[in-house]
Amino acid sequence: MKLTLHVWRQKDARDPGGFKTYQLEDVTTHMSFLEMLDVLNQDLITAGEDPVAFDHDCREGVCGACGFVINGVAHGDQKGSTVCQLHMRHFADGDEVTIEPWRAKAFPVLRDLVVDRSAFDRILTAGGFISVRTGSAPEANSIPIPSEAAEHAMDFAECIGCGACVASCPNSAAMLFVGAKIAHLGLLPQGQPERERRALAMVEAMEREAFGSCTNYRACEAVCPKEISISGIARMNKDFRRALLSGSNRASGKRR
Amino acid sequence: MKLDARVPAGPLADKWMSLRDHLKLVSPANKRKRSIIVVGTGLAGGAAAASLGEMGYRVKAFCYQDSARRAHSIAAQGGINAAKNYQNDGDSVFRLFYDTIKGGDFRAREANVYRLAEVSNAIIDQCVAQGIPFAREYGGTLANRSFGGAQVSRTFYARGQTGQQLLLGAYSALNAQVAAGTVVVHPRTEMLDLVVVDGRARGIITRDMVSGAVECHVGDAVLLATGGYSNVYFLSTNAKGCNVTAVWRAHRRGAGFANPCFTQIHPTCIPQAGDYQSKLTLMSESLRNDGRVWVPIAEGDDRAPGDIPEAERDYYLERIYPAFGNLAPRDISSRAAKRMCDEGRGVGPGKRGVYLDFAEAIGRLGENVIRARYGNLFDMYERITGENPYRAPMRIYPAPHYTMGGLWVDYYLMSTIPGLFVLGEANFSDHGANRLGASALMQGLADGYFVAPYTLGEYLAGAKLEEVSPAHEACRATLHEVDQRTARLLGVRGSRTVDSFHRELGMLMLDRCGMSRTAEGLTEAIAAIGRLREAFWHEVKVPGAGAELNQELEKAGRVADHFELAELMCRDALARDESCGGHFREEHQTPDGEALRDDESFCNVTVWEHRGEGAEPAAHVESLEFETVQLAQRSYK
């Protein structure tokens, strides 16, 4: 099939950037979306133009590297999938496809479709962990965890950190991402000792970055490739409030 | 090249603990003065960087991905082995050790493999404490599943995303150390060379993949945990960015490369669908717990799978390997699939595929149970192929997956360059000629959490290390070489894309140095690789400049190194005139087509020494001494 692509091109962070249109012939239905871009890039290189830069790595939906907006939807219009899992059989001959990077102040564009998501790393560094020194762990079966609790935690632990939630949120909020980690660790007994401290530290770190706040649009949940529930945000808010009220705000070193 | 494995004396089961009792220690005050470079932030690198940071060392960690959380360990699906014996099925450290060394077709170092099994249980403890949501029984204890090459159930898992969860655990430990100020992570930074000063590894040259800036980072030791080299085949289950450059550059600086021809072609991957294909997707081996592998009995049977009656199907793994059935090890299952397709009984487009059928399991357990066990894998299959595996069997075919070969290391995980340690898939040490399922995660974390942090101390405490700064002559000279190489790649200005060369190399390697190999094919391949490499340096087209985000330049440098590696793989495969594990030389097979080892001549490790551009590499040998296990023909029948 033939496609018309409108692709965001931007040389670097300083360049204002803009859309460029490309025609692609002979796209087959079995191709993945990224393979379709590979074909475009081979054509561009051969024609002496710069290929389109985009992040990608595992190409099986788990590393979280890929992600851009396709026809206005983060990761495209297939529910519960990343761009690399989207195949061209979901498009029709003659379609026009608009491709642009995540748009969020906290995710500056580095080139074309590549954005800087290091804000996510900084938030997790603030508290997205259980402090346990190597070699100091108790016997694994010494803490029984109901299967349901482990599965519930896993629902949140599946987050791949792709950033689609931020890109699709009208406020560019990172709360689904932050809530997922707080819920994952907060649902497990191992996560209890640092639970309040974690919520405070991560929420404060999130506020230091250029993310907005949640106003319950639920756009994040709709595009999340791992279909993470916004109940994680409720858990984050609950833990954060509980931490404030219990006065365990030593993580930040200041009184709220 | 001197190869001293430094295996501690004493009974196998006591070696590691007695070594640990006597390893030199570095005092807390001195640890703060030591800086360690860790390249790669997967299970091995992430775990090592975090553990070393906790111990008080100053650590710099590097990864090419935009975040340490994305290292390719994340894509491991099925699980991680440990000898917990939670199933009360008779498992033990010795059994895990024995299965692993037998699984590797007796081509791994006994002492290293025993240590791996010995620390396996501590890994599970550590991971649970980090909050990894492993699957549980209803009573709250940890659940297990079965994997290939074992008759006990010892694999721990988190749905089909075990690697993801273990990696996010190591990444969270790493983040805790970043917060504590002991570790600095450099994402989107690629190692392009190793700096050797007075015969010791003292630094690396890196390229910032956003600005293109090339820099030197110095340290007291360098740990490489940069994974494997299956991308030499172009189409593999590896992430697109996985590459051999860090390991290869270290090899060129003097690190011996062990058994480069030992590669694993994983039996259960989705078959290739077209010429544009960029990678192959693995379907976890855990599916073989419930899936049955078959092909039609008749050649060229074009009927839909549902129309082929039971009596006209050949469940060939169950037929040939009744003791292990569908859970026969990977090398054996892959070869069997290839044989079925070579006989003209392959299925699907191109006839390079076999069925993996869940109909019996769905009938026995119900669709819901199968969905709970493998739902995400089934979804993944459907997304890629457009076919529903609950209704029709999956089609699978082997694909390059893991590389058992790697830089040679001694028992301390140190390479032939003092101060250069190699961890995880990047080293050669534990899996011999074939890796069993769920053992890669175990080895990565064993090396990273429980081995290297101890053995590194011995090196640091015993070495006299002068202060080295990036202005050191060796640093400047190495950096200059890197700059020249980049300029050379950009300067070819030919007409063929990097990918077109990589694809051609991959096809050649899969054909000649893949699931089956011959002396004739390998000799031809060495010549063909030479010609292709020559063409690359005259015809490749790398657009753009060095001082910018340039993904084609990144790829070009990696492919250039893959050419050199490919040649060494073929040389190694040619020199190893026997069959063992995944290395199948057609000249050496039993009457029923199984690998025929030659223990007289090849019960050893081949270690290659680089002797300069254009010169033939030298082969050295480490003999493998088996004190505990009896070498036997590996049988799964």
Side-chain angles (χ1 to χ4, degrees):
Chain A
M1 61 184 165
K2 291 180 188 176
L3 292 179
T4 304
L5 305 178
H6 306 288
V7 185
W8 184 261
R9 303 303 308 262
Q10 183 175 337
K11 186 107 182 118
D12 54 33
R14 289 176 300 279
D15 180 23
F19 284 104
K20 263 192 100 165
T21 299
Y22 305 97
Q23 304 293 335
L24 213 50
E25 321 266 325
D26 303 329
V27 175
T28 71
T29 51
H30 273 296
M31 277 181 184
S32 74
F33 198 89
L34 296 187
E35 285 165 350
M36 182 272 292
L37 286 184
D38 290 341
V39 171
L40 171 70
N41 277 344
Q42 297 296 299
D43 291 354
L44 289 176
I45 295 165
T46 309
E49 290 182 53
D50 279 338
V52 178
F54 59 93
D55 269 325
H56 64 97
D57 208 14
C58 78
R59 296 202 175 194
E60 48 190 73
V62 71
C63 76
C66 71
F68 36 81
V69 176
I70 301 169
N71 289 341
V73 182
H75 287 303
D77 210 6
Q78 179 177 249
K79 197 146 171 54
S81 98
T82 53
V83 171
C84 64
Q85 294 177 297
L86 180 65
H87 281 250
M88 299 314 292
R89 70 180 71 93
H90 299 285
F91 294 83
D93 188 37
D95 273 2
E96 300 218 2
V97 184
T98 303
I99 305 169
E100 54 190 317
W102 291 164
R103 307 278 190 194
K105 201 171 158 193
F107 290 164
V109 175
L110 298 174
R111 188 182 180 111
D112 299 336
L113 307 174
V114 178
V115 301
D116 177 356
R117 289 170 289 196
S118 56
F120 272 9
D121 286 325
R122 289 190 291 275
I123 294 172
L124 291 181
T125 295
F129 48 79
I130 290 170
S131 302
V132 51
R133 188 170 286 112
T134 300
S136 67
E139 211 297 316
N141 258 349
S142 61
I143 320 164
I145 299 174
S147 176
E148 296 80 0
E151 293 301 318
H152 196 184
M154 183 66 189
D155 289 340
F156 293 106
E158 282 185 325
C159 169
I160 58 173
C162 64
C165 47
V166 174
S168 61
C169 175
N171 308 321
S172 297
M175 288 193 173
L176 190 68
F177 171 78
V178 178
K181 186 48 65 184
I182 287 175
H184 156 212
L185 298 176
L187 279 161
L188 295 170
Q190 306 94 301
Q192 298 314 308
E194 292 168 296
R195 184 170 167 183
E196 293 180 0
R197 185 191 168 90
R198 178 182 311 120
L200 278 174
M202 289 183 71
V203 170
E204 283 179 5
M206 178 178 77
E207 287 175 350
R208 281 196 295 274
E209 307 290 342
F211 295 111
S213 283
C214 176
T215 46
N216 292 316
Y217 278 90
R218 302 179 73 172
C220 54
E221 191 183 57
V223 300
C224 175
K226 298 296 149 187
E227 303 184 86
I228 289 171
S229 155
I230 58 157
S231 66
I233 299 178
R235 289 181 173 276
M236 176 189 79
N237 286 330
K238 181 179 151 205
D239 283 3
F240 180 69
R241 280 194 210 102
R242 204 167 78 163
L244 282 185
L245 293 173
S246 71
S248 67
N249 45 359
R250 288 180 295 271
S252 63
K254 67 180 179 203
R255 289 272 153 203
R256 273 181 177 267
Chain B
M1 184 171 276
K2 201 171 136 273
L3 299 174
D4 176 5
R6 293 198 285 164
V7 173
L12 188 61
D14 299 341
K15 286 180 193 292
W16 175 235
M17 283 318 286
S18 63
L19 179 75
R20 272 188 56 182
D21 287 344
H22 298 101
L23 280 173
K24 288 185 189 130
L25 297 173
V26 181
S27 78
N30 285 335
K31 280 189 189 129
R32 283 195 292 277
K33 294 181 197 151
R34 297 297 193 183
S35 59
I36 314 296
I37 289 171
V38 180
V39 187
T41 59
L43 290 182
S51 302
L52 291 167
E54 282 167 16
M55 292 163 85
Y57 292 107
R58 286 186 288 130
V59 180
K60 279 184 176 182
F62 297 83
C63 63
Y64 74 76
Q65 297 87 351
D66 74 319
S67 164
R69 68 178 291 149
R70 305 200 206 285
H72 188 56
S73 307
I74 204 160
Q77 297 170 355
I80 177 166
N81 286 333
K84 286 283 195 188
N85 192 30
Y86 284 164
Q87 301 302 318
N88 195 25
D89 53 6
D91 201 7
S92 66
V93 167
F94 185 86
R95 270 190 209 278
L96 174 54
F97 152 74
Y98 185 80
D99 286 348
T100 307
I101 208 147
K102 176 187 172 195
D105 216 356
F106 306 98
R107 290 292 177 264
R109 198 186 284 144
E110 225 181 25
N112 286 56
V113 180
Y114 193 89
R115 175 178 62 191
L116 175 66
E118 195 177 345
V119 303
S120 67
N121 291 341
I123 295 170
I124 302 304
D125 298 342
Q126 188 68 29
C127 293
V128 167
Q130 286 170 345
I132 289 167
F134 282 121
R136 301 264 167 179
E137 311 279 0
Y138 285 112
T141 52
L142 287 150
N144 292 111
R145 58 167 57 138
S146 299
F147 252 68
Q151 286 171 316
V152 294
S153 189
R154 60 160 76 101
T155 304
F156 295 79
Y157 64 99
R159 295 189 189 155
Q161 294 114 292
T162 316
Q164 181 202 23
Q165 293 309 308
L166 297 179
L167 181 67
L168 294 181
Y171 164 74
S172 74
L174 188 65
N175 279 336
Q177 291 310 304
V178 172
T182 60
V183 178
V184 178
V185 179
H186 297 262
R188 289 199 200 270
T189 308
E190 182 161 43
M191 168 176 162
L192 293 182
D193 216 331
L194 179 75
V195 179
V196 179
V197 178
D198 298 332
R200 294 177 186 277
R202 293 304 303 270
I204 59 171
I205 307 294
T206 60
R207 180 173 179 274
D208 178 320
M209 292 156 76
V210 178
S211 71
V214 177
E215 272 188 291
C216 178
H217 297 268
V218 295
D220 293 304
V222 176
L223 275 57
L224 295 187
T226 51
Y229 49 85
S230 283
N231 270 349
V232 72
Y233 295 102
F234 187 76
L235 285 182
S236 84
T237 66
N238 281 191
K240 292 298 287 174
C242 293
N243 68 87
V244 78
T245 289
V247 157
W248 191 255
R249 294 285 126 192
H251 171 58
R252 289 181 56 117
R253 297 276 168 205
F257 205 124
N259 299 334
C261 80
F262 284 175
T263 56
Q264 175 164 82
I265 315 285
H266 193 292
T268 52
C269 303
I270 301 177
Q272 185 178 351
D275 297 334
Y276 49 80
Q277 191 134 347
S278 62
K279 79 156 281 166
L280 296 168
T281 302
L282 184 110
M283 288 281 105
S284 169
E285 179 166 312
S286 62
L287 291 168
R288 291 196 278 147
N289 271 295
D290 288 306
R292 299 178 70 196
V293 178
W294 64 277
V295 291
I297 287 176
E299 271 178 49
D301 189 336
D302 282 331
R303 287 175 291 177
D307 296 339
I308 301 177
E310 278 296 317
E312 293 174 44
R313 299 174 176 193
D314 180 8
Y315 293 91
Y316 60 89
L317 287 178
E318 297 170 25
R319 172 173 60 82
I320 308 172
Y321 307 103
F324 283 69
N326 293 295
L327 286 173
R330 291 179 176 176
D331 53 338
I332 286 171
S333 307
S334 289
R335 244 181 338 260
K338 179 177 185 293
R339 213 178 310 141
M340 296 306 130
C341 296
D342 289 348
E343 286 171 12
R345 300 198 281 147
V347 299
K351 302 289 176 205
R352 301 308 290 181
V354 300
Y355 290 124
L356 178 62
D357 198 332
F358 295 88
E360 186 268 336
I362 290 172
R364 175 165 45 90
L365 302 164
E367 194 173 311
N368 283 339
V369 173
I370 296 300
R371 192 182 302 279
R373 282 184 193 168
Y374 313 110
N376 65 319
L377 297 170
F378 277 46
D379 291 349
M380 198 193 277
Y381 183 86
E382 184 167 5
R383 278 196 192 114
I384 291 171
T385 62
E387 295 165 15
N388 178 349
Y390 293 102
R391 298 284 156 268
M394 290 183 178
R395 286 176 298 106
I396 53 163
Y397 195 69
H401 177 54
Y402 185 89
T403 51
M404 286 75 71
L407 292 183
W408 183 88
V409 289
D410 61 17
Y411 189 73
Y412 292 68
L413 301 184
M414 192 160 84
S415 70
T416 53
I417 300 175
L420 179 73
F421 291 75
V422 190
L423 285 64
E425 189 178 352
N427 75 27
F428 87 106
S429 76
D430 292 355
H431 306 297
N434 172 58
R435 181 177 65 73
L436 290 185
S439 286
L441 303 186
M442 172 171 69
Q443 188 219 340
L445 290 180
D447 289 359
Y449 284 132
F450 296 111
V451 181
Y454 291 109
T455 57
L456 179 67
E458 170 83 8
Y459 170 74
L460 293 172
K464 244 184 110 62
L465 297 164
E466 306 289 333
E467 190 76 23
V468 171
S469 88
H472 190 283
E473 195 188 334
C475 298
R476 292 215 311 256
T478 314
L479 195 142
H480 181 64
E481 282 180 43
V482 167
D483 279 341
Q484 278 186 319
R485 188 177 151 82
T486 303
R488 198 175 154 210
L489 284 167
L490 289 164
V492 178
R493 304 205 169 279
S495 55
R496 269 185 76 178
T497 62
V498 176
D499 278 5
S500 80
F501 280 103
H502 196 175
R503 270 183 203 278
E504 194 174 333
L505 174 68
M507 268 155 61
L508 180 71
M509 288 300 284
L510 195 60
D511 190 34
R512 299 300 165 91
C513 198
M515 271 187 285
S516 91
R517 303 154 178 193
T518 63
E520 195 192 349
L522 291 163
T523 309
E524 280 172 22
I526 292 169
I529 293 164
R531 287 193 298 273
L532 194 59
R533 181 177 157 197
E534 196 59 25
F536 174 85
W537 284 104
H538 285 99
E539 294 169 31
V540 74
K541 181 170 190 167
V542 184
E548 62 177 341
L549 195 160
N550 187 338
Q551 293 175 329
E552 286 296 310
L553 176 62
E554 295 161 16
K555 284 198 282 189
R558 296 167 187 169
V559 172
D561 287 336
H562 278 134
F563 276 118
E564 296 181 20
L565 164 77
E567 194 184 313
L568 190 70
M569 287 169 69
C570 292
R571 276 183 198 285
D572 187 47
L574 188 60
R576 187 164 284 277
D577 199 12
E578 65 158 352
S579 293
C580 59
H583 170 64
F584 190 73
R585 283 281 299 270
E586 287 178 22
E587 302 93 327
H588 304 288
Q589 47 184 309
T590 62
D592 48 359
E594 302 295 343
L596 186 63
R597 287 199 324 262
D598 175 358
D599 292 334
E600 282 289 301
S601 314
F602 292 103
C603 189
N604 59 31
V605 178
T606 314
V607 187
W608 296 89
E609 179 185 6
H610 181 76
R611 291 201 297 188
E613 198 81 51
E616 285 214 359
H620 304 271
V621 166
E622 179 200 343
S623 293
L624 293 170
E625 316 291 343
F626 290 92
E627 295 170 9
T628 309
V629 305
Q630 198 81 40
L631 267 66
Q633 202 216 325
R634 192 165 150 247
S635 171
Y636 293 94
K637 293 180 173 170

